[in-house]
Amino acid sequence: MTGLRIEAMAGRHIDAVIAIDAVSYSHQWSAAMWRSELAASGRRHMVVIDDDSVVAHAGTLQQLDELHVTTVATHPGHRGRGHATRLLVDLLRAGVASGAEAATLEVRAADRATHRVYGRLGFSPAGIRPGYYSAPTDDAVIMWLHDLSSSEAQSRIDRLATDIESREARA
Ligand SMILES: CC(C)(COP(=O)(O)OP(=O)(O)OC[C@H]1O[C@@H](n2cnc3c(N)ncnc32)[C@H](O)[C@@H]1OP(=O)(O)O)[C@@H](O)C(=O)NCCC(=O)NCCS
């Protein structure tokens, strides 16, 4: 797709990211919280830019060999085009390159569509945090992707990346 690129999130993207979060989450980080997040160690945040507009973002926190997916959101008008998957592919690859051996995240129990996005990447449900989310109240499902650096996990991630590229080429 013409005009589509991924880059590291920087201060100039904060307002657009907050605007995406405002229509994606019940709670958002403020600009000050984003500035300190971007300056903190172990964090990696990426954005998808389509024709000069930020349309999706995702981020991770790496602690030793564990990668925690902290944020993923795509603007509602740009969902279903592979942006979240593409960001997660890049973040998982970057995590492996920095020594991550496993990745984890929490997702709303009711949010089946998001479970599918994570499931395709190899994340599996591993536990529940009751009442973790508010507005509306929901349990969190804790998901893990173990053996992140295994050849099986790498092949799965590579296949998804190829699939996204071929869908984009056809779009
Ligand atoms: C969850 C969320 C980030 C997904 O974003 P997205 O960019 O729409 O996700 P993707 O496009 O990668 O995947 C969604 C679907 O599009 C499909 N798709 C369409 N075109 C595609 C393409 N070109 N390449 C790859 N997948 C494509 C995927 O296969 C997937 O299909 P599915 O519905 O059968 O699972 C988005 O819905 C969102 O922002 N939700 C609100 C915030 C939130 O809940 N975040 C998660 C917190 S845990």
Side-chain angles (χ1 to χ4, degrees):
M1 194 184 293
T2 319
L4 193 67
R5 65 183 193 279
I6 288 200
E7 59 188 53
M9 183 176 166
R12 65 184 178 281
H13 301 128
I14 288 175
D15 288 350
V17 163
I18 289 174
I20 291 172
D21 287 354
V23 289
S24 299
Y25 292 121
S26 48
H27 303 290
Q28 300 97 48
W29 291 351
S30 66
M33 287 162 81
W34 269 114
R35 276 193 293 276
S36 66
E37 171 73 10
L38 293 178
S41 66
R43 273 75 166 176
R44 189 175 281 115
H45 289 272
M46 314 282 294
V47 292
V48 176
I49 300 189
D50 188 359
D51 283 340
D52 294 330
S53 299
V54 176
V55 296
H57 73 97
T60 54
L61 164 62
Q62 185 158 350
Q63 291 171 310
L64 302 175
D65 59 358
E66 273 183 22
L67 198 64
H68 195 118
V69 178
T70 51
T71 55
V72 191
T74 299
H75 188 283
H78 294 261
R79 289 182 189 162
R81 299 182 198 172
H83 295 329
T85 305
R86 167 192 276 269
L87 285 165
L88 290 164
V89 162
D90 280 16
L91 288 165
L92 291 175
R93 284 174 165 167
V96 170
S98 323
E101 294 287 342
T104 185
L105 53 83
E106 287 100 24
V107 56
R108 280 182 179 272
D111 193 352
R112 295 287 161 195
T114 309
H115 290 208
R116 272 203 308 278
V117 171
Y118 295 140
R120 261 194 303 273
L121 286 154
F123 285 90
S124 306
I128 298 281
R129 283 192 221 285
Y132 182 78
Y133 292 107
S134 57
T137 302
D138 198 358
D139 297 341
V141 176
I142 304 161
M143 301 183 86
W144 275 94
L145 197 177
H146 293 293
D147 303 322
L148 181 56
S149 60
S150 68
S151 56
E152 190 191 338
Q154 292 305 299
S155 305
R156 187 186 312 111
I157 290 167
D158 290 347
R159 276 198 305 277
L160 275 174
T162 306
D163 181 46
I164 292 171
E165 279 157 23
S166 57
R167 290 207 214 190
E168 272 169 15
R170 289 199 301 271

